[in-house]
Amino acid sequence: EGEYDAMAVYQATGRPAVSLPNGCRSLPLEVLPLLERFETIYLWMDNDGPGREGAEKFANKLGAKRCLIFSPKPEHVDKKGRSPKDANDALRMGLDLDDMINRSEIMPHEELLRFEDFREQ
C-alpha cells in the first residue's frame, strides 16, 4: 500500500509495484488508464480492516476478475508466530514474498461459500 511496501515487493521479487499516494482509501483516477495494460493486478494492502476494505473497493474499480488479493495464510508467520501487517513487514521478517504473492486469490463473492469457509464454521 505504501512506498516502502512497493519497494519491498520489487526488492524481493523483481515484480513491478506501485504504492497508493494517500493510503488504502485513495486510488487516483489518473492511475486507472496506466493499469489498463495489465491482465492481472495483485492487490497487497495492509492486513487490517481498512486495508481489506480498500482491496475490495479497488478490485471492483479495476475489474474483480483480473485482480488477485493477497491476505496472509497461516504459514506466513515468522519464528515467533507473528503475521506481517504489510509487504515491508514480510520482507523484514524474512518471509518469501514471491510465494506469498503467488498465493493471492480472487476476491470471494459475498454470496458464495468455499469449502474452506465451511471448515471455519
Side-chain angles (χ1 to χ4, degrees):
E1 166 180 333
E3 292 85 358
Y4 288 110
D5 299 314
M7 290 187 293
V9 168
Y10 183 75
Q11 178 181 331
T13 69
R15 296 177 193 225
V18 297
S19 68
L20 299 173
N22 298 312
C24 68
R25 298 186 192 265
S26 172
L27 180 63
L29 293 176
E30 304 83 38
V31 172
L32 296 177
L34 302 173
L35 299 173
E36 285 302 315
R37 65 186 177 123
F38 297 100
E39 289 180 26
T40 304
I41 297 174
Y42 295 88
L43 299 174
W44 187 336
M45 310 294 270
D46 284 357
N47 187 27
D48 56 17
R52 287 186 289 277
E53 288 174 23
E56 288 182 22
K57 181 173 123 181
F58 296 152
N60 286 323
K61 277 187 179 181
L62 298 168
K65 291 183 180 179
R66 71 181 185 139
C67 289
L68 297 174
I69 298 175
F70 169 79
S71 60
K73 308 291 184 262
E75 60 271 19
H76 296 144
V77 296
D78 66 5
K79 293 175 183 165
K80 295 180 181 178
R82 295 176 300 190
S83 196
K85 176 183 173 271
D86 54 32
N88 189 43
D89 275 355
L91 179 66
R92 290 183 302 141
M93 292 164 68
L95 300 174
D96 184 345
L97 275 67
D98 215 29
D99 177 63
M100 296 172 82
I101 291 170
N102 288 334
R103 293 173 183 242
S104 298
E105 299 175 341
I106 294 174
M107 182 175 61
H109 190 282
E110 60 198 36
E111 296 180 16
L112 296 177
L113 291 176
R114 300 169 296 164
F115 287 116
E116 190 174 301
D117 298 327
F118 288 113
R119 285 188 215 111
E120 293 174 3
Q121 292 181 356

